Amino acid sequence: MNFQWYPGHMTKAKRQMQEDIKLIDLVIELVDARIPLSSRNPDIDELGKNKSRLILLNKADLADESKNKVWKAYFQNQGFFVVELDARKRNSMKIIQDTIMESCKAKIERDRKRGIKNRPIRAMVVGIPNVGKSTFINTFAGKAVARTGNKPGVTKGKQWIRLNKNVELLDTPGILWPKFDDQAVGMRLAFIGSMNDNLLNIDELSLELIRYLTENYPGVLAERYSIREMLSDADDGSEQMEKTDAPKEIDEKRNDVSAEQEHSSDIMKEPVKILEEIAVSRNCIRTGGELDYSKAAALLLDDFRSGRLGRITLEVPV
Ligand code: G4P
């Protein structure tokens, strides 16, 4: 499967961001906690150099808790401030506020030395489409804040949201596009629904997801769809030997066969077989009685994307 990104007004957006970034002290970059690297556009590092940097591991509620910690440490080691986040909830906003102040300590100190008091920190939210930028801005800004409008001479044409006396947020987020030569990155973006499903082969995508899940989160599919992920003795076609009073050599042979059978239940079923079982389990059947693999594939992807398969992370730091 070949993943292509159709960037629309990419160049224009990038130029806009280059302009906007001149106005701010802090870049608040949202990434998807399920694919923190694949959902970044590395251009932001060049664009945001000399700025304070905060990474929000957003949709952390959908990602594996232990992996969230690993990713947090990973980005902190690279000098970023990091907060795990569910942007729909207000409960992380105090931590974010505190982290913003912490990340801009040097600027605040510089201002203080120059006798400038109470100049708010100016921040801009950036990230790839669908990562949660608008949700975050709405939750963080809440209803109470005033949109400050244009600031003549400084920010012509820009809308700022005054969050409190310390922080102002540029009203419109900066949209970055994912960047990949690596098809595995494209596939991860497709898994989380950041690519247009109409341009993808959903059946193949679902088989790749099944492969990943059975290897990395064994048991998740079995539990959700009441199926078996492993080949059972019954599946491998060999018949059970009856217990008899057989001579020793036959007993030994039986033991060999049992060992083999035991081994067979350690073997994962082919992804297509698992998709088939999901189709059966969820009654995805066409008129005429044929299994509807595409319906099962769409259902599986939807269950994954909405967190119904549990908290799952699709990549770990390399
Ligand atoms: P964007 O501005 O970066 O493009 O993203 P936006 O805020 O529109 O968010 C995209 C979708 O992601 C929204 O779902 C939003 O509710 C959801 N979302 C944002 N942050 C979080 C989070 O931390 N956790 C979870 N679980 N979901 C989050 P939506 O409007 O329902 O769109 P969709 O689900 O129909 O695609």
Side-chain angles (χ1 to χ4, degrees):
M1 195 170 2
N2 197 29
F3 296 96
Q4 295 280 343
W5 188 260
Y6 297 93
H9 306 291
M10 199 158 118
T11 317
K12 186 165 171 262
K14 193 167 165 185
R15 212 176 301 127
Q16 181 67 54
M17 197 176 305
Q18 276 163 339
E19 287 307 306
D20 288 347
I21 267 181
K22 290 181 191 153
L23 309 170
I24 57 145
D25 308 300
L26 168 69
V27 176
I28 301 177
E29 180 187 356
L30 272 79
V31 299
D32 190 303
R34 295 167 295 176
I35 53 166
L37 280 191
S38 299
S39 60
R40 289 195 81 204
N41 180 327
D43 288 349
I44 191 62
D45 287 333
E46 179 59 28
L47 283 167
K49 63 173 192 244
N50 307 324
K51 305 288 174 184
S52 298
R53 302 290 300 278
L54 168 59
I55 287 194
L56 301 180
L57 283 174
N58 194 37
K59 308 200 186 186
D61 56 298
L62 297 174
D64 186 329
E65 255 179 307
S66 62
K67 301 287 190 309
N68 287 346
K69 303 282 171 277
V70 172
W71 279 111
K72 186 172 179 181
Y74 170 87
F75 286 118
Q76 282 175 329
N77 284 339
Q78 296 187 2
F80 295 102
F81 288 83
V82 186
V83 177
E84 292 169 42
L85 182 67
D86 174 349
R88 298 163 310 167
K89 305 230 163 90
R90 280 196 65 79
N91 56 4
S92 300
M93 298 306 150
K94 167 88 172 74
I95 292 190
I96 291 174
Q97 174 68 32
D98 293 348
T99 312
I100 288 177
M101 299 313 282
E102 176 70 21
S103 69
C104 291
K105 233 156 100 180
K107 174 213 170 307
I108 296 166
E109 186 55 22
R110 254 192 334 265
D111 280 357
R112 199 186 58 78
K113 281 193 178 140
R114 287 189 201 141
I116 306 168
K117 272 196 228 145
N118 301 331
R119 189 164 78 181
I121 289 158
R122 294 218 177 101
M124 174 183 178
V125 172
V126 305
I128 67 167
N130 206 40
V131 80
K133 297 176 297 299
S134 327
T135 308
F136 169 68
I137 291 175
N138 284 336
T139 309
F140 195 38
K143 287 195 192 98
V145 292
R147 268 144 168 98
T148 57
N150 297 344
K151 294 194 162 184
V154 190
T155 58
K156 198 157 167 264
K158 295 283 154 209
Q159 291 274 316
W160 292 83
I161 308 172
R162 183 92 189 228
L163 293 174
N164 50 45
K165 67 178 183 6
N166 296 319
V167 183
E168 282 185 355
L169 203 61
L170 196 58
D171 194 9
T172 40
I175 302 172
L176 294 161
W177 273 267
K179 197 174 185 180
F180 55 90
D181 309 319
D182 181 355
Q183 290 294 300
V185 172
M187 189 151 66
R188 290 184 202 115
L189 289 159
F191 283 156
I192 66 162
S194 277
M195 298 187 118
N196 187 344
D197 277 352
N198 298 330
L199 305 173
L200 300 169
N201 180 332
I202 290 297
D203 296 8
E204 260 185 66
L205 189 66
S206 75
L207 294 178
E208 289 301 331
L209 183 61
I210 290 172
R211 201 185 305 281
Y212 180 85
L213 293 175
T214 49
E215 275 169 21
N216 295 279
Y217 291 91
V220 160
L221 294 174
E223 192 180 326
R224 172 85 190 154
Y225 302 110
S226 310
I227 57 168
R228 291 178 62 123
E229 294 174 12
M230 300 293 191
L231 279 176
S232 68
D233 297 347
D235 292 323
D236 77 355
S238 54
E239 281 175 30
Q240 288 276 3
M241 288 185 119
E242 292 291 327
K243 245 196 177 328
T244 59
D245 293 332
K248 190 165 168 280
E249 310 86 81
I250 298 188
D251 247 343
E252 276 168 2
K253 174 115 175 95
R254 181 190 299 136
N255 286 344
D256 287 350
V257 172
S258 319
E260 229 171 71
Q261 285 175 343
E262 211 168 278
H263 185 64
S264 78
S265 59
D266 289 340
I267 299 173
M268 204 71 76
K269 284 179 188 165
E270 286 296 313
V272 69
K273 177 80 183 121
I274 294 182
L275 184 61
E276 183 183 312
E277 290 186 21
I278 294 173
V280 172
S281 152
R282 286 302 148 103
N283 226 4
C284 301
I285 297 170
R286 293 182 200 281
T287 35
E290 229 174 89
L291 285 179
D292 190 340
Y293 285 87
S294 299
K295 191 171 172 196
L299 184 144
L300 169 69
L301 286 166
D302 194 48
D303 280 351
F304 165 72
R305 289 170 184 169
S306 59
R308 285 190 292 270
L309 295 180
R311 300 177 62 167
I312 288 162
T313 296
L314 296 171
E315 66 183 351
V316 286
V318 279

